[in-house]
Amino acid sequence: MAITVNMQDIHERAEAAFFGLAVGDALGATVEFMTPGEITARYGCHKDIIGGGWLHLEPGGVTDDTEMSLCIARAIDAAHGWSLERIAENFALWLKSKPVDIGDTCRRGIRNYMLKGALETPFNEWDAGNGACMRMLPVALHTVGNNDMLVRYALAQGHLTHNHPLSDEACIALGRLVHMAVFGMSKVSMRKEAEDLFARHENFRFEPYRGLATAYVVDTMQTVFHHFFKTRDFEECLIRTVNQGGDADTTGAIAGMLAGAYYGMESIPKRWLRKMDKNLLGEISVLAKRMIELTPLHNQVTGSP
Ligand code: ADP
Ligand code: MG
């Protein structure tokens, strides 16, 4: 990538990406498992963070997408770098804390670690859920500027619970797109990156958009791509994404991380941020900064060891 590195800008975009993830999760959770028709009948257009949904959340409450991302970010922070064991340990602690929601494949992988110490689950044809992809943000931020690291860590974290080529590809592609967005690259170049993914795996092609927003990683990524590339600001991208229903907290979280990184903090509606837990946003802010400080890129630019 031909880029000039502006660490301040990268820090701000990293923070916006993490806020975007949490906001998208909180916004989408209200309409998870609903069809677009049901959402229209009930809310007209769903555009405020009001909680509720099948999980009966408080307004601003978040789910597994944000919580698993925090598990990874806290592990990287505590280890001052990559530690798959710490990530697995944080997932185990999180599972024991009886999370408000958890995917079946995520649960199976974490239980496998708890019972057998397994850090990699074997290939399974049903491991193409979006559970590995939705928690990619801290991995993407921690590997900014280093594609090889991104690929290695994306696969390692993904394989704790999901081992399927479509999940792997989605994790890596999403990580690359986050990298490009935090470097301030254009949507045209991000679209080319997405098209490289379609060249490798036709399944992800989103035009014509089929309108499916299930937790199958192919449907999830098609929904996010469609709305991210078709809209021109954070709010519109997220509203359109979650009004697609289905796995709306996860499509919202993934669209939120990409749109947050791309459009920056100013683009995130204040009315949404006001609904979020202040302690959560405080921790996210610190962790986003830490993820970038712990990148090799940061060391190269600042000369720290
Ligand atoms: P998570 O990935 O968050 O742990 P699940 O295990 O519940 O969540 O999987 C999410 C969804 O992905 C499920 O509805 C499952 O049927 C779907 N899915 C997983 N693998 C495939 C596949 N190979 N083809 C189609 N759908 C799949
Ligand atoms: Mg969720």
Side-chain angles (χ1 to χ4, degrees), residues 63-65 249-250:
T63 71
D64 48 353
D65 314 76
D249 57 327
T250 300

Side-chain angles (χ1 to χ4, degrees), residues 172-193:
I172 293 168
L174 181 61
R176 287 205 179 121
L177 290 170
V178 169
H179 281 188
M180 297 173 89
V182 298
F183 278 125
M185 293 176 76
S186 71
K187 232 186 224 183
V188 173
S189 53
M190 289 173 71
R191 203 182 157 104
K192 285 210 187 83
E193 182 66 41

Side-chain angles (χ1 to χ4, degrees), residues 201-250:
H201 283 279
E202 265 301 307
N203 317 45
F204 288 104
R205 195 174 288 283
F206 61 90
E207 281 167 335
Y209 178 54
R210 298 177 306 144
L212 297 178
T214 77
Y216 176 36
V217 73
V218 168
D219 294 347
T220 303
M221 294 309 288
Q222 284 182 352
T223 297
V224 171
F225 287 149
H226 173 73
H227 292 295
F228 177 70
F229 289 117
K230 276 263 183 309
T231 53
R232 282 194 282 180
D233 65 45
F234 181 92
E235 182 175 3
E236 189 191 7
C237 174
L238 265 75
I239 288 176
R240 292 220 189 165
T241 300
V242 302
N243 278 276
Q244 210 70 53
D247 198 8
D249 57 327
T250 300

Side-chain angles (χ1 to χ4, degrees), residues 64 102-107 124-132 134 161-162 164 166 214-217 247:
D64 48 353
I102 180 169
D104 292 340
T105 309
C106 287
R107 183 198 307 276
N124 184 309
E125 65 174 308
W126 287 102
D127 278 12
N130 58 24
M134 70 187 191
T161 55
H162 292 63
H164 192 288
L166 292 173
T214 77
Y216 176 36
V217 73
D247 198 8

